[in-house]
Amino acid sequence: MKNVKINHLPQLFVFVHACFGQADFAPFFYDNGPYSHNGNLALFSLSEDTPVGTQIYSLNGTDPEGQEVRYGLSFHPGSQEYFTVDPKSGNITLVEKLDREKQDSIDVLVSITDGQSEVVERVTIFVMDANDEKPEFQNMPAIIDVLETTESGSSIYKVEAVDRDTGSGGSVTYHIQNGQSTLFAIDRHSGVLRIKSGEMLDYEKTKTHFVTVIAKDGGGNFNGKEQFLSSSATLTVNVIDAQDTPPSFIGTPYFGYVYEISVPGSEIFTVVAKDGDVGNPNPVCYSFDDGDDGVFTINKTSGSITLLALPIYLKREIFNIKVRASEVSPEGTLMDYGVTTVVIRVVDLNNNPPTFYGEHGPQNIFELTMYEHPPEGEILRGLKITVNDSDQGANAKFNLRLIGPGRMLRVVPQTVLNEAQVTILVEDSAAMDYEKHHFLTYKLLAVEIDTPERFSATADIVIHLLDTNDNAPKFSADYYIARIPENSPGGSNVVSVTATDPDSGPWGDVKFSIYGSGADLFLIQPASGIIYTQPWASLDAEVRSKYNFYVKAEDAEGKYSLAEVFVTVLDLNDHPPAFNDNFLEKTMVIGAPVKIEAVDDDAEVPNNVIEYAIMKAEPDNNIFDINADTGEIMLKSYIKSMAIIQNITSQRDFTWSLVVQARDRGQPSFSTTAVVKIDITEATQLNGGPLGSFLMQSRNKPLHILGLLAGVISLMVIVTVIISTATFMRNKKSNRILPNRRVRRRPRKQHTWNFKNPFKSPEAPGEKFRVEEEEQESGVIVENANCNNNVSNVVRHWPPPPPPCAPSLPPPAPPYIPTERQWAVPTISARVAGKPKKKPEISRQDNVNQALVSELKMRLEQKRILTRQ
């Protein structure tokens, strides 16, 4: 084996292992161009924002002999290894973060081998830029000084920022944060900062400006999205003061006062002014321009104003003095100046408090007598009050206030200068009530407003109220509830009502009366309000237990009020219980109770609540129980049949006589007794089916049987009406000709109906009612099988057809025979002579057709008769 190294191209090393026995060709890469993602990495480029772990490329080559090839990737010694390769697949993966600003290209050695020969190529991978760098300021933050007299539009600073990205991501533009509210503007491309056109710096307003400049790149892709990056920095601009501002006064406006006790030389006021150029101020000189009238002077350096004459010689009350403050240059010349006005007022001393006056001089108590509830807004003319303050100007200005109970009165005016007539007005008429206040006391207060002394004065106002009849009597309650036992004697007291009238004198006297539909049995004492019964009245709770009427309380002038009285008549136990009859007969079927009932005419419980008890039973006293509340008498629970009763007594008629007591629960308690004769029998199973069982159970309840019959008849009537209505509506909708008068039909032979015993089990279910049909002539005979007055024996000839015959009422029950123990059930029997034989059923439609045929035949017959005539 011999290794031979052959250089085919620059930067390309090929190692060939040749065997003397057989030639071996080296493997090689495919060169797919710079825009392919597989091949030999020639001219491949990669963005710096590619995530670590991304498969970026696939090495691709082959061996001429078809041997399996493997791939390799290496870096120069000391270089950062950014990629790894899979030897078999050739997939290259990014393992380190790229940064174009640090390294914009990467040299890589890629290799391919078939096990015998290896080919190595050096390639360069270019790192493409992504917008991942912010602009960086080169000369900010910074502090600069600018003279306040710098002209508008002048450049004061140049901002520089650099973005290391390429392309649009590396271009930088400049902006000022909140540029609308600042005095400065910046050129967006060059970064030159200027004073806005039309704006000037002013040291006296703002000594320092803070300008925030934003540097923003042109944007670019980053991680697949467009991204704009920016940075900000602050430029501090210090304004340098210049001598361009005149002096200004501090603490204006200025007011001074000359009092009546002031003397010449007194300091009235001191003005203060400072040079407007506070960065380098000059001294200030003070002087008068106008308005001093020669009675005031001012200190040139301190600004103190003093009085030169006595106050009595001052010709004006108010002086408006113009004071000038001039700037003095270092050379001693007067420069810029400012002027202000000092107002000096000649004022009186506040040495007189307000004073109240009546008709005869100073006065501090005012009295008035008047009726209660005067109209609102009325002036209390009986009060003649004047208030005065002898001072002048503000010292004579004061407020008036009225202090007292509620807001019944109001004072006018409320603010006074020097002197005024005081007026008292009524504001709340309802509150001026004699019943609440016999007299009212108020304090009239005068207090100075704008003086430090706040002098004040007070006066008492006393108003005596006179009563009027302004109240109606008022009951102690809206209604009264009274209870009185029944049978109370006439003249018994029922209830006492009370009403009061707060008015005084005869207006407060109350007279009572009653009226209403329930007041007939009652009287009332007009003065005391005691309600009592009429002398002849007899109260009975069973007749009427509730009364209600109205009671009226009225004063001397007819003002009144009403209250309602509810009287309940208490029930007394004055009625004993009573049976309908003192001797009762009952039939008892074993297993079913019999009930007795007594009535107590008392109106209320417990007087009308009845308890039942068996006092005595013959022939045996231990065979019956009774329900104490309902009066139901039943056999003892162990008695199940007649055989048990035969073992108890030797009598064969099974008739017991019981003495039953009915006692009420009133106090005292009343009772009554009745003899109950009970005939005991055993239940017999009837063969009439459910109807027979019902009649057997209801034999002592005839109303139940009548109710059943009424229900059956009502059901039949309803069914008949429904069928007739349906037939009529069907015929009305039909297009056939209907007869316009009653159709006369041929006489039909009547059925004879034989009503069998409904309680007897028939041979077949359909034979409960059997119809006997016989051949008859055109006449129909109706027989009254029961010989009652409901149906008479008549023979009718056609026409007209006979009316339908209803079955007769059942015969009366057989008389009760004590010796016979079997229960005889009444039966109903009837026989109606009918048509000879049963015809097939005819439907409603066939009836209509027959009626139409009959109508047509009748019309043809009439035509024939007319033709013959």
Side-chain angles (χ1 to χ4, degrees):
M1 182 77 63
K2 182 178 181 181
N3 293 332
V4 180
K5 180 178 180 182
I6 303 174
N7 293 331
H8 295 280
L9 294 172
Q11 303 179 358
L12 176 64
F13 304 94
V14 179
F15 297 91
V16 179
H17 303 273
C19 298
F20 292 103
Q22 182 180 359
D24 180 33
F25 296 97
F28 60 90
F29 285 104
Y30 293 119
D31 188 0
N32 296 327
Y35 301 107
S36 176
H37 284 78
N38 62 81
N40 61 351
L41 272 178
L43 302 178
F44 180 69
S45 61
L46 182 65
S47 177
E48 66 175 328
D49 59 351
T50 302
V52 174
T54 302
Q55 178 182 325
I56 62 171
Y57 199 84
S58 293
L59 294 176
N60 190 8
T62 185
D63 181 66
E65 289 83 14
Q67 297 292 329
E68 180 182 4
V69 297
R70 289 184 177 272
Y71 304 96
L73 185 147
S74 61
F75 298 86
H76 292 292
S79 300
Q80 177 73 34
E81 297 184 358
Y82 289 94
F83 311 103
T84 60
V85 65
D86 185 287
K88 292 184 178 181
S89 64
N91 293 334
I92 298 176
T93 304
L94 178 66
V95 297
E96 294 291 338
K97 181 66 177 174
L98 300 177
D99 189 351
R100 190 203 64 82
E101 286 73 28
K102 294 181 180 179
Q103 186 175 355
D104 59 359
S105 64
I106 303 173
D107 292 332
V108 180
L109 296 176
V110 295
S111 63
I112 182 171
T113 179
D114 60 358
Q116 299 294 328
S117 302
E118 181 180 20
V119 177
V120 179
E121 296 182 6
R122 186 177 69 181
V123 295
T124 300
I125 298 176
F126 298 97
V127 181
M128 305 305 293
D129 186 42
N131 190 24
D132 59 343
E133 297 290 333
K134 294 182 179 180
E136 296 180 359
F137 287 96
Q138 304 299 309
N139 56 351
M140 288 183 64
I143 300 175
I144 61 174
D145 295 332
V146 180
L147 191 65
E148 67 172 335
T149 56
T150 303
E151 296 182 0
S152 62
S154 301
S155 300
I156 60 174
Y157 194 72
K158 185 178 187 324
V159 180
E160 293 182 4
V162 176
D163 192 323
R164 294 190 297 169
D165 290 323
T166 61
S168 61
S171 63
V172 179
T173 56
Y174 303 93
H175 309 275
I176 295 180
Q177 188 175 11
N178 299 327
Q180 299 296 328
S181 59
T182 183
L183 301 177
F184 305 95
I186 191 170
D187 186 278
R188 63 190 307 267
H189 298 293
S190 64
V192 174
L193 185 68
R194 293 182 174 86
I195 301 174
K196 281 184 179 179
S197 179
E199 300 288 349
M200 292 291 294
L201 302 179
D202 191 346
Y203 177 86
E204 286 69 33
K205 291 183 178 179
T206 306
K207 299 178 179 59
T208 303
H209 297 270
F210 299 96
V211 182
T212 301
V213 179
I214 298 174
K216 184 177 181 181
D217 64 17
N221 287 330
F222 183 76
N223 290 333
K225 296 181 181 180
E226 188 175 15
Q227 175 174 271
F228 293 89
L229 299 176
S230 63
S231 300
S232 63
T234 301
L235 177 67
T236 303
V237 180
N238 293 325
V239 181
I240 305 302
D241 189 24
Q243 293 294 331
D244 59 347
T245 304
S248 60
F249 289 92
I250 299 174
T252 58
Y254 295 141
F255 297 95
Y257 299 93
V258 176
Y259 299 99
E260 59 183 345
I261 59 173
S262 299
V263 296
S266 300
E267 183 177 336
I268 305 302
F269 196 79
T270 299
V271 297
V272 177
K274 289 185 179 180
D275 187 1
D277 303 311
V278 295
N280 185 22
N282 290 323
V284 177
C285 177
Y286 301 97
S287 62
F288 286 148
D289 272 3
D290 187 23
D292 62 303
D293 289 356
V295 294
F296 298 98
T297 185
I298 187 171
N299 189 292
K300 293 183 180 182
T301 56
S302 65
S304 175
I305 300 174
T306 56
L307 180 64
L308 299 178
L310 291 172
I312 58 174
Y313 298 113
L314 301 181
K315 297 179 180 181
R316 290 187 293 176
E317 293 183 0
I318 298 176
F319 292 85
N320 293 313
I321 302 175
K322 300 292 184 180
V323 178
R324 174 183 294 191
S326 301
E327 219 178 310
V328 181
S329 66
E331 293 80 14
T333 60
L334 298 180
M335 301 172 60
D336 287 344
Y337 62 89
V339 179
T340 190
T341 301
V342 178
V343 179
I344 297 179
R345 183 186 301 272
V346 180
V347 296
D348 178 42
L349 287 179
N350 186 28
N351 50 6
N352 294 293
T355 305
F356 291 102
Y357 295 89
E359 294 180 331
H360 306 291
Q363 186 176 337
N364 56 7
I365 297 178
F366 300 88
E367 294 189 66
L368 175 66
T369 300
M370 60 183 297
Y371 284 103
E372 63 177 340
H373 304 305
E376 292 184 0
E378 180 176 333
I379 298 174
L380 305 187
R381 303 187 183 277
L383 296 176
K384 299 186 181 299
I385 307 172
T386 303
V387 63
N388 175 270
D389 190 323
S390 300
D391 290 320
Q392 300 297 320
N395 292 337
K397 189 176 182 180
F398 54 92
N399 285 337
L400 288 178
R401 286 188 296 171
L402 197 60
I403 301 174
R407 295 183 178 180
M408 305 178 199
L409 303 176
R410 179 167 57 94
V411 62
V412 176
Q414 295 184 349
T415 302
V416 179
L417 182 62
N418 290 118
E419 183 177 293
Q421 183 73 32
V422 179
T423 302
I424 307 296
L425 301 176
V426 177
E427 190 165 77
D428 189 354
S429 175
M432 298 182 68
D433 192 352
Y434 173 83
E435 286 71 32
K436 297 180 180 178
H437 313 281
H438 287 0
F439 62 90
L440 302 172
T441 300
Y442 283 85
K443 287 284 187 182
L444 183 59
L445 180 63
V447 182
E448 292 179 348
I449 301 175
D450 298 325
T451 63
E453 295 81 9
R454 303 278 291 178
F455 288 137
S456 63
T458 58
D460 293 328
I461 298 178
V462 181
I463 300 175
H464 300 274
L465 296 178
L466 300 177
D467 192 21
T468 60
N469 187 22
D470 59 331
N471 294 285
K474 185 177 181 180
F475 282 96
S476 59
D478 293 334
Y479 57 90
Y480 296 88
I481 298 176
R483 297 176 178 83
I484 182 170
E486 65 177 344
N487 301 331
S488 296
S492 299
N493 291 343
V494 179
V495 66
S496 178
V497 299
T498 57
T500 57
D501 191 328
D503 292 323
S504 60
W507 295 325
D509 298 333
V510 180
K511 182 175 67 175
F512 297 96
S513 60
I514 60 174
Y515 68 95
S517 60
D520 298 338
L521 300 181
F522 303 93
L523 296 174
I524 188 170
Q525 294 181 5
S528 64
I530 297 176
I531 300 175
Y532 57 97
T533 59
Q534 294 271 14
W536 46 266
S538 177
L539 302 178
D540 190 347
E542 288 74 34
V543 176
R544 183 175 179 181
S545 62
K546 303 289 184 182
Y547 296 87
N548 70 292
F549 49 87
Y550 290 96
V551 58
K552 179 180 180 181
E554 187 176 10
D555 64 13
E557 288 188 352
K559 291 188 176 182
Y560 67 92
S561 62
L562 300 176
E564 194 166 3
V565 179
F566 298 90
V567 179
T568 300
V569 180
L570 301 178
D571 181 45
L572 298 179
N573 192 21
D574 55 352
H575 292 86
F579 291 98
N580 291 335
D581 194 350
N582 291 333
F583 182 78
L584 304 174
E585 293 185 1
K586 300 286 183 178
T587 299
M588 176 180 289
V589 177
I590 294 178
V594 297
K595 183 177 181 180
I596 61 173
E597 187 175 8
V599 178
D600 193 317
D601 291 333
D602 286 318
E604 299 178 358
V605 295
N607 298 333
N608 58 5
V609 178
I610 300 175
E611 293 180 345
Y612 300 91
I614 298 175
M615 308 302 295
K616 184 178 180 182
E618 292 182 355
D620 192 288
N621 203 28
N622 193 27
I623 190 173
F624 295 101
D625 286 330
I626 189 169
N627 189 310
D629 296 325
T630 64
E632 289 185 345
I633 301 174
M634 64 200 76
L635 292 171
K636 295 286 188 178
S637 60
Y638 64 86
I639 299 176
K640 305 293 185 179
S641 65
M642 297 293 291
I644 298 176
I645 299 177
Q646 291 176 357
N647 294 333
I648 295 176
T649 178
S650 60
Q651 294 187 7
R652 300 184 59 83
D653 57 357
F654 301 102
T655 301
W656 259 256
S657 295
L658 279 69
V659 177
V660 179
Q661 182 190 65
R663 176 181 294 275
D664 62 27
R665 295 183 181 178
Q667 293 294 332
S669 178
F670 294 99
S671 65
T672 186
T673 59
V675 177
V676 182
K677 185 176 181 181
I678 298 179
D679 185 14
I680 303 175
T681 183
E682 193 167 15
T684 301
Q685 181 66 35
L686 298 178
N687 295 326
L691 179 61
S693 300
F694 174 77
L695 293 176
M696 185 63 186
Q697 294 176 2
S698 305
R699 65 183 183 277
N700 289 329
K701 302 176 182 179
L703 293 179
H704 289 190
I705 300 176
L706 293 177
L708 176 63
L709 294 177
V712 173
I713 294 172
S714 300
L715 181 60
M716 294 175 63
V717 170
I718 292 172
V719 172
T720 303
V721 170
I722 293 174
I723 294 174
S724 301
T725 303
T727 304
F728 172 75
M729 296 302 295
R730 181 177 179 182
N731 293 339
K732 185 175 181 182
K733 295 180 179 179
S734 176
N735 293 327
R736 298 177 181 178
I737 301 174
L738 297 180
N740 58 359
R741 59 181 177 272
R742 184 175 61 86
V743 178
R744 298 183 60 189
R745 302 180 182 178
R746 292 181 180 179
R748 296 163 58 183
K749 295 180 181 181
Q750 305 296 318
H751 293 181
T752 300
W753 298 82
N754 289 334
F755 288 84
K756 301 300 181 180
N757 185 357
F759 309 113
K760 182 178 180 180
S761 176
E763 296 178 359
E767 295 181 358
K768 284 189 177 181
F769 297 92
R770 184 169 60 83
V771 180
E772 297 180 1
E773 301 176 355
E774 299 177 357
E775 293 285 344
Q776 295 290 342
E777 299 297 331
S778 59
V780 179
I781 301 176
V782 181
E783 296 182 0
N784 185 0
N786 292 321
C787 300
N788 55 26
N789 295 326
N790 294 332
V791 180
S792 60
N793 294 335
V794 295
V795 179
R796 299 182 185 275
H797 298 279
W798 184 264
C805 298
S808 62
L809 295 175
Y816 173 74
I817 302 175
T819 58
E820 296 179 3
R821 304 308 305 166
Q822 296 182 355
W823 177 262
V825 179
T827 62
I828 301 174
S829 64
R831 185 172 63 84
V832 180
K835 50 192 176 181
K837 62 180 180 179
K838 184 176 181 181
K839 295 182 180 181
E841 294 183 357
I842 302 175
S843 63
R844 294 189 182 91
Q845 186 63 38
D846 294 338
N847 290 337
V848 175
N849 295 335
Q850 291 179 4
L852 292 173
V853 173
S854 300
E855 179 72 14
L856 293 175
K857 287 182 178 180
M858 185 182 302
R859 291 185 178 182
L860 293 174
E861 191 68 27
Q862 289 177 354
K863 287 183 179 180
R864 290 176 183 175
I865 294 172
L866 292 175
T867 304
R868 292 175 183 178
Q869 291 178 355

